[in-house]
Amino acid sequence: MKKLYILPALILLCWGVLHAQNESEKALVFGNQLFLENNNADIAFQTPDHKGGPAWSPNIISHQKLVEREMAGYRQWATLNVPATGTEYDARYYRLELRINPDTSVGKYIRGKVTTYFTTTQSNFNIIKFDFASPLGCDSVYYHGAKLAAGNISRPTDLLQITIPTIVTTGTLDSVSVYYKGVPPVVPFFGNGTGYVKSTHNAGTKNYVYTLSEPYSSYTWWPCKSFIANDKADSLDLVVSTPIAFKVAGNGTLVSETTNGSNLTTYWKHRYPIAAYQVCIAVANFVQYPASPTIVNIGGTNMPLYNYLFPETNTATAQATLDRTALMLTTFSSKFGDYPFKKEKYGHYTFGFGGGMEHNTFSGMHPGTYDDAGDWDIIAHELGHQWFGANVTCASWGEIWINESFATFAESVCAEFSPSVTAGQTGVGQRAYHKSQAISTSNQTQSVYVNDTSDMATIFTPAVYVYERGAMVIYMLRTLLGDTKFFQAIKNLQADPLLKYGNAVTADIKRHMENASGLDLTTFFNQWIYNTGFANYNNAKWNNSGTQLILQLPQTTQLSPVAHFDMPVVVRIQGSVPAQDTTVVLYDNNGILHYADNGILYSAGGNIVQFNLSFIPVTITFDPFAQVLANGSFAKDPLLIVLAASQVNFKGKKEGNDVILFWSADQASDYTLFEIEKSNDGTSYETIGMIHTKDFAGTNNFSYNHNSNITSAEYYRVKIIKKNGSVFYTKTLLLGGSTADTYYTISPNPANDYVLIKSNVVKEKVTIKFYDASGKMVKKLLKQTLTNNSHLKIPVDELTAGNYFIEIGSSTGRNTKQFVIIK
């Protein structure tokens, strides 16, 4: 992250003549001095060719914040045993001036000049270090237009260390130019090279060169900060000389292609912040499709979209496949915010890596990603990276999920909202694939967060961890928040001045999701990002009494140190005809189910929840649209009808000076009276109203309005008297305060062989009575001690399965709680 997004202090003068000599014999010869350099950071410079570029606004971040983010990146690659580079300065601008000839007789080769503008982040700065592969030779270094003595340059392993005159003041803008040449080393990765790669196409008859630097390979072909992702230069220029038979792909806007005899000089200008690993160059006998770029309107800005293709891959099928990108661009812009680089371009160029690789404005694509009419997902994935990876970039490689999980999630967004581009694939189908991959037992030994970032293989393989598993975690966030809040959170994140064109950590994603939803997602992120495994709801049960539906969703976990996952749970409810079809989203918070009603989040008090439907349920399906990382299935259980017959859903809210209480009770004809009670302390209750069920024949829904100027916590409950004389109470609601909503807690509920009772008071003596559903007392305990720091454990294994009530009597009154025993 930069303290200021401004143009580097430089004046471009000219690009000298590149002499097409044998690269193995002579260094690159430049013409006149390219830059007028000045060490006075107070002098304002303008760049003549920058007109029309983005108007950068200052993004002020404290120096301490910058250093913390720098060091976060350093810690991630320190295991590589490469000396630290970059914590002492902030990269501001890169200009790469290169000579590349894929047909050179010496094989893979590069020579050129790299100018880096930087700002010091410590005082008395006199050594600047670049990651730089040892096989590459440094011909010379220029500082302020003068060549430095050989003694000012040292080459520790894979480093270039340059001593310059001491810069006393922190925050000084300065620059240095490095002339170099050589054969970049090979960086193997599962049969595909990374770094600087020379290969062939067209059945081996045509040579070409491409770069792929993620995560650590930039240093193999140019001097830079290679091992951290969180120091982006504010802008970039690429000036590449090649034989005239070749075309050059690069980041940003194509400024010019200038012919000089048998050579072509290509100038790409990028005026957005960019990480070193995102800098890309490809040199091949490309053809451009379409010849005149497609114009895509992004938020009122017309932007070119085009492709650099190998001639043999420029088929009608490929063209039709790549043409889908325009709709993807507008779809993602509507969901994530405008395409981040809309003042420059987007496009694809063909390269040899087996898949795709996002780079700012230009994604490298293997021919196999666009040679079939059914191809679309990798195109969508790499485009999604322009928001997550190119714009907002992971601050450390341990958090690569911020790049890859969101790009994988983007595939599902494309399938859902742009179905015409996905060859019949649906968003549900795409999610189901991600879920199937993520939940398979062979892929649960690593978390979404990558703990071992020592090399490319440990970061990216097996890919299912940060790709499919991470995408499903994001989908659970979407399910939990709902589309409106979720996609607003994405847009807010992309526009956040602390993150836009910068770097993010996991806490940044969490912050924006919480801000948009009002939820505390600490446990969710800790469990799903930093742990392994998934949830099971294979013992879920349901039953109904007419249109009253009751669900029980006990959770177990698999392949995880997490005892219980906090997560959304999706249940589809269908009746006997197609129109009777609804889906509910519950939130399982440590075994307590919550559900939303008219914008209010209610607790069910346990893992049992009840709904009033407009139809009789016939089929209950767990997660039918592949939205959560859990397996599950429902079985109809007659025992639940016992609870359904007596359980009452009780809710309330405050509107102005009124407290509105409402509840539903299936088979309300079994009840005689509802007494509405209020308490100021949660202990002593007074009756504030009564409703006789005989006055409301034929309804199961009841409400009561109470005028109350709430200034502190008030407790409400409903005392329910059945026709058989038995009494029980609803759960207690707290309105106007934030203290606990129950005076006594009963757990587990449902119970099996015991219950635990806990009081909110320090210590008290109580009498505890157990009643069955008919009101008959079946168990009694005298002079029991309850406290607020321990549970009283009471065996109930002698009781049969069914619905029960516990009456707790003390010197201040009595309190009745409902619970269920299952066997």
Side-chain angles (χ1 to χ4, degrees):
M1 186 70 72
K2 302 296 167 287
K3 289 188 287 187
L4 293 173
Y5 286 145
I6 60 174
L7 191 66
L10 55 93
I11 296 178
L12 304 181
L13 291 182
C14 65
W15 169 246
V17 177
L18 289 170
H19 300 282
Q21 303 178 49
N22 187 323
E23 286 86 349
S24 65
E25 297 176 354
K26 295 187 178 181
L28 186 63
V29 178
F30 291 98
N32 297 328
Q33 177 66 23
L34 275 162
F35 302 105
L36 292 177
E37 297 177 306
N38 192 307
N39 193 33
N40 187 343
D42 294 329
I43 296 177
F45 292 87
Q46 297 293 325
T47 304
D49 61 4
H50 186 53
K51 294 178 181 179
W56 299 114
S57 299
N59 181 12
I60 306 299
I61 303 176
S62 69
H63 173 65
Q64 182 62 32
K65 181 82 168 179
L66 172 66
V67 172
E68 287 173 357
R69 286 186 182 264
E70 291 275 6
M71 292 307 296
Y74 164 67
R75 285 192 294 271
Q76 291 303 317
W77 62 267
T79 56
L80 296 176
N81 297 316
V82 178
T85 61
T87 58
E88 69 279 5
Y89 69 92
D90 177 19
R92 305 304 295 277
Y93 165 78
Y94 297 125
R95 182 178 177 91
L96 280 66
E97 303 169 277
L98 307 173
R99 171 67 180 184
I100 298 174
N101 180 4
D103 288 339
T104 179
S105 59
V106 296
K108 185 171 68 171
Y109 192 84
I110 190 171
R111 58 190 174 105
K113 170 188 177 183
V114 173
T115 298
T116 301
Y117 273 75
F118 60 90
T119 302
T120 59
T121 58
Q122 64 184 39
S123 59
N124 298 315
F125 177 94
N126 70 337
I127 295 178
I128 183 167
K129 292 178 285 187
F130 297 106
D131 300 307
F132 192 48
S134 296
L136 297 175
C138 176
D139 286 346
S140 59
V141 176
Y142 279 76
Y143 180 71
H144 292 198
K147 182 177 180 180
L148 294 179
N152 289 57
I153 304 168
S154 62
R155 294 299 309 273
T157 302
D158 290 338
L159 274 180
L160 174 62
Q161 184 168 294
I162 303 165
T163 301
I164 61 175
T166 300
I167 302 173
V168 176
T169 305
T170 299
T172 301
L173 179 67
D174 209 343
S175 67
V176 65
S177 297
V178 176
Y179 291 80
Y180 72 103
K181 67 177 182 294
V183 177
V186 174
V187 183
F189 179 66
F190 286 84
N192 293 279
T194 69
Y196 183 96
V197 182
K198 180 179 178 181
S199 187
T200 62
H201 68 95
N202 196 26
T205 63
K206 297 293 183 180
N207 295 314
Y208 72 104
V209 166
Y210 69 91
T211 65
L212 192 160
S213 299
E214 187 183 28
Y216 300 131
S217 297
S218 301
Y219 80 106
T220 65
W221 62 279
W222 65 289
C224 60
K225 288 186 180 183
S226 188
F227 293 97
I228 57 177
N230 61 351
D231 185 14
K232 294 185 176 182
D234 297 328
S235 55
L236 167 74
D237 282 313
L238 299 172
V239 185
V240 183
S241 172
T242 65
I244 200 168
F246 294 97
K247 196 173 183 66
V248 179
N251 309 95
T253 300
L254 181 60
V255 177
S256 63
E257 291 177 304
T258 305
T259 302
N260 182 11
S262 61
N263 294 308
L264 175 71
T265 299
T266 304
Y267 174 23
W268 289 97
K269 176 183 69 175
H270 187 49
R271 291 299 178 262
Y272 291 91
I274 185 169
Y277 83 90
Q278 292 278 8
V279 176
C280 69
I281 291 174
V283 178
N285 63 327
F286 292 123
V287 294
Q288 180 175 311
Y289 171 77
S292 296
T294 300
I295 301 301
V296 182
N297 187 276
I298 306 293
T301 299
N302 288 328
M303 182 195 74
L305 167 65
Y306 52 86
N307 310 278
Y308 280 10
L309 308 177
F310 294 156
E312 69 273 17
T313 71
N314 186 27
T315 64
T317 297
Q319 292 174 4
T321 299
L322 292 169
D323 284 346
R324 298 168 178 164
T325 310
L327 180 55
M328 294 182 190
L329 270 163
T330 56
T331 297
F332 288 173
S333 292
S334 70
K335 295 300 179 182
F336 304 153
D338 282 359
Y339 171 66
F341 309 106
K342 65 181 183 179
K343 293 188 178 180
E344 293 188 352
K345 75 165 187 305
Y346 185 65
H348 312 95
Y349 63 90
T350 308
F351 73 165
F353 190 80
M357 173 62 203
E358 77 283 0
H359 303 103
N360 290 26
T361 74
F362 226 0
S363 292
M365 306 293 286
H366 188 273
T369 66
Y370 60 84
D371 64 348
D372 186 272
D375 289 336
W376 64 271
D377 53 342
I378 296 180
I379 298 172
H381 182 100
E382 304 309 333
L383 176 58
H385 269 309
Q386 297 302 306
W387 284 263
F388 289 94
N391 179 29
V392 176
T393 309
C394 61
S396 70
W397 292 110
E399 295 174 287
I400 186 63
W401 79 275
I402 295 174
N403 293 19
E404 297 298 346
S405 300
F406 274 97
T408 305
F409 169 76
E411 298 172 32
S412 294
V413 172
C414 179
E416 181 173 352
F417 295 103
S418 301
S420 63
V421 310
T422 59
Q425 175 68 72
T426 66
V428 175
Q430 193 70 5
R431 292 195 301 273
Y433 169 76
H434 296 326
K435 176 175 177 175
S436 174
Q437 293 294 101
I439 216 165
S440 60
T441 57
S442 62
N443 293 311
Q444 296 298 323
T445 58
Q446 181 175 302
S447 61
V448 173
Y449 182 89
V450 179
N451 292 289
D452 181 359
T453 60
S454 57
D455 59 41
M456 188 174 184
T458 61
I459 294 173
F460 289 100
T461 58
V464 67
Y465 301 138
V466 295
Y467 287 71
E468 273 71 34
R469 180 176 173 82
M472 285 306 303
V473 172
I474 295 168
Y475 221 93
M476 287 197 293
L477 282 169
R478 177 184 170 186
T479 303
L480 184 59
L481 270 65
D483 276 14
T484 300
K485 292 180 179 179
F486 173 80
F487 284 113
Q488 188 60 55
I490 296 294
K491 290 179 179 179
N492 293 346
L493 187 152
Q494 290 287 318
D496 186 339
L498 294 177
L499 307 178
K500 187 175 184 179
Y501 305 118
N503 300 87
V505 295
T506 299
D508 294 315
I509 311 300
K510 173 177 173 287
R511 170 169 57 89
H512 277 284
M513 295 295 167
E514 288 181 334
N515 289 346
S517 66
L519 298 173
D520 181 352
L521 298 172
T522 301
T523 300
F524 181 94
F525 272 80
N526 286 344
Q527 291 178 340
W528 289 108
I529 300 299
Y530 301 108
N531 280 284
T532 61
F534 55 93
N536 279 323
Y537 291 92
N538 293 326
N539 293 317
K541 297 179 175 62
W542 76 280
N543 212 324
N544 70 292
S545 178
T547 60
Q548 187 81 4
L549 172 68
I550 184 168
L551 305 174
Q552 184 178 27
L553 286 153
Q555 183 197 110
T556 59
T557 63
Q558 188 167 337
L559 298 171
S560 178
V562 177
H564 190 284
F565 280 112
D566 281 8
M567 63 185 300
V569 180
V570 182
V571 180
R572 187 179 186 183
I573 307 162
Q574 295 170 283
S576 58
V577 297
Q580 297 172 343
D581 191 338
T582 188
T583 300
V584 297
V585 177
L586 306 171
Y587 181 43
D588 187 348
N589 176 224
N590 198 29
I592 306 298
L593 296 176
H594 297 73
Y595 56 96
D597 190 349
N598 293 323
I600 303 173
L601 191 65
Y602 294 100
S603 169
N607 63 14
I608 296 177
V609 65
Q610 190 172 339
F611 296 98
N612 287 315
L613 302 172
S614 61
F615 58 88
I616 296 175
V618 175
T619 303
I620 311 297
T621 309
F622 181 86
D623 191 30
F625 309 117
Q627 294 170 268
V628 300
L629 271 175
N631 288 321
S633 60
F634 280 94
K636 195 168 185 178
D637 185 354
L639 175 61
L640 291 184
I641 199 67
V642 177
L643 186 59
S646 57
Q647 185 171 344
V648 174
N649 285 332
F650 180 43
K651 296 176 282 188
K653 61 182 178 178
K654 188 175 186 302
E655 290 186 356
N657 292 328
D658 290 332
V659 169
I660 303 174
L661 306 174
F662 38 95
W663 61 97
S664 61
D666 192 42
Q667 297 184 356
S669 58
D670 288 343
Y671 308 139
T672 300
L673 180 68
F674 299 113
E675 293 184 5
I676 299 91
E677 298 183 346
K678 185 189 80 167
S679 172
N680 293 323
D681 59 4
T683 302
S684 301
Y685 284 84
E686 63 175 335
T687 299
I688 60 174
M690 292 186 292
I691 293 178
H692 293 269
T693 57
K694 66 180 181 180
D695 298 330
F696 297 89
T699 182
N700 294 329
N701 300 306
F702 304 87
S703 65
Y704 184 84
N705 286 22
H706 175 60
N707 185 267
S708 175
N709 291 313
I710 296 179
T711 57
S712 60
E714 288 187 346
Y715 300 81
Y716 294 86
R717 69 185 184 186
V718 176
K719 178 182 178 180
I720 302 173
I721 302 173
K722 300 184 71 172
K723 286 183 176 180
N724 63 9
S726 63
V727 175
F728 66 96
Y729 290 83
T730 65
K731 66 181 179 181
T732 301
L733 294 179
L734 173 64
L735 299 176
S738 60
T739 57
D741 66 350
T742 57
Y743 184 66
Y744 296 101
T745 60
I746 308 295
S747 64
N749 190 7
N752 187 347
D753 54 356
Y754 67 88
V755 294
L756 300 172
I757 305 177
K758 186 176 181 181
S759 171
N760 283 359
V761 300
V762 175
K763 185 177 182 180
E764 65 175 347
K765 293 290 186 180
V766 299
T767 296
I768 300 175
K769 299 177 181 179
F770 289 75
Y771 296 88
D772 64 16
S774 69
K776 178 183 177 181
M777 187 173 68
V778 294
K779 188 180 183 75
K780 181 178 180 180
L781 297 94
L782 301 175
K783 296 182 180 180
Q784 301 296 307
T785 300
L786 291 181
T787 69
N788 63 359
N789 60 9
S790 64
H791 288 89
L792 174 64
K793 184 174 182 179
I794 302 176
V796 294
D797 52 343
E798 79 278 15
L799 301 179
T800 59
N803 189 42
Y804 290 86
F805 307 95
I806 298 178
E807 180 186 278
I808 304 171
S810 68
S811 59
T812 60
R814 68 177 186 173
N815 193 293
T816 301
K817 310 291 289 185
Q818 183 181 20
F819 77 105
V820 177
I821 294 178
I822 58 175
K823 297 294 186 179

